Amino acid sequence: MDSSQLRDLIGQKRLRYKVQYRSLMETISKKGDTSGKGDFSSFGAFYQTFMYAYFLGYRLKKCHYIQPNEPTSDFIASFDLIKPVAIRDFMIMLILNESEKFDFKWFELENANEERIEIFIAEFFRRMEGYANAGFEYLQNKWDNENMKFRNPFVFVNFLEELNG
């Protein structure tokens, strides 16, 4: 399997997140409108908020995996339709670069059988969703305890900067 075939397989999947963060997503995402939510800053479409939460979780070095039978929500669009493409591709590269942590050397997938590739892709998404759910937990905590910070138009940049310190 070459890299374009692997990318196509990854692109066919849909991301999930823990349903407990649905209300938060509705609060801090635009959901197609551009008006914002009163004087609170909004991020973007649900999948863009997911991407942001992913980067928070990745920066925190935390994964909160979805447990079997845990309620989840997924996106209507498959992963390959998520935009901006450059950020989506960066998310992919971050996971591929740590694939040895979950017992894969992604360059060895070229000669892997279908079963091994399916296992890899399942773990790939498990980690991506885990990082996003850790990011959602961080955002939920901020919303619950410091929601006045969401009034700043640079709130999302500020949260990333807080994690740099």
Side-chain angles (χ1 to χ4, degrees):
M1 165 169 298
D2 65 25
S3 61
S4 65
Q5 292 169 314
L6 178 61
R7 186 179 175 148
D8 288 345
L9 287 174
I10 290 170
Q12 295 170 13
K13 300 290 184 182
R14 294 190 315 183
L15 292 166
R16 301 173 304 151
Y17 60 92
K18 294 180 180 184
V19 78
Q20 72 190 64
Y21 300 120
R22 179 74 180 191
S23 177
L24 175 69
M25 293 261 297
E26 290 174 350
T27 302
I28 66 172
S29 301
K30 289 183 183 172
K31 297 186 303 182
D33 69 35
T34 56
S35 60
K37 308 285 183 264
D39 54 350
F40 288 104
S41 293
S42 300
F43 191 74
F46 275 20
Y47 65 82
Q48 289 175 340
T49 305
F50 180 96
M51 294 167 90
Y52 177 72
Y54 165 85
F55 287 113
L56 288 173
Y58 189 86
R59 172 64 87 189
L60 291 163
K61 298 184 182 347
K62 291 183 179 179
C63 271
H64 291 241
Y65 298 116
I66 296 170
Q67 300 303 312
N69 300 319
E70 186 172 14
T72 61
S73 190
D74 60 354
F75 296 95
I76 295 170
S78 60
F79 188 68
D80 65 342
L81 297 176
I82 291 176
K83 300 202 181 344
V85 173
I87 294 175
R88 182 191 69 212
D89 290 348
F90 187 61
M91 292 170 66
I92 291 171
M93 290 310 301
L94 289 174
I95 299 292
L96 290 177
N97 282 332
E98 66 175 23
S99 61
E100 288 186 31
K101 291 181 181 176
F102 54 99
D103 197 30
F104 287 92
K105 293 181 179 163
W106 68 272
F107 57 85
E108 292 176 353
L109 292 173
E110 184 174 0
N111 297 317
N113 63 30
E114 281 186 40
E115 181 182 352
R116 182 80 170 148
I117 291 168
E118 286 178 24
I119 292 168
F120 171 80
I121 291 173
E123 183 59 26
F124 177 95
F125 274 89
R126 181 175 172 270
R127 290 186 73 83
M128 188 174 289
E129 293 164 348
Y131 282 131
N133 284 307
F136 283 130
E137 179 184 68
Y138 177 85
L139 287 170
Q140 186 70 63
N141 184 48
K142 290 290 189 184
W143 181 259
D144 293 344
N145 298 305
E146 306 174 60
N147 70 8
M148 296 307 286
K149 288 186 174 186
F150 285 84
R151 294 183 184 274
N152 183 324
F154 299 105
V155 60
F156 301 107
V157 173
N158 294 342
F159 288 159
L160 283 172
E161 285 181 345
E162 283 180 16
L163 296 178
N164 282 336

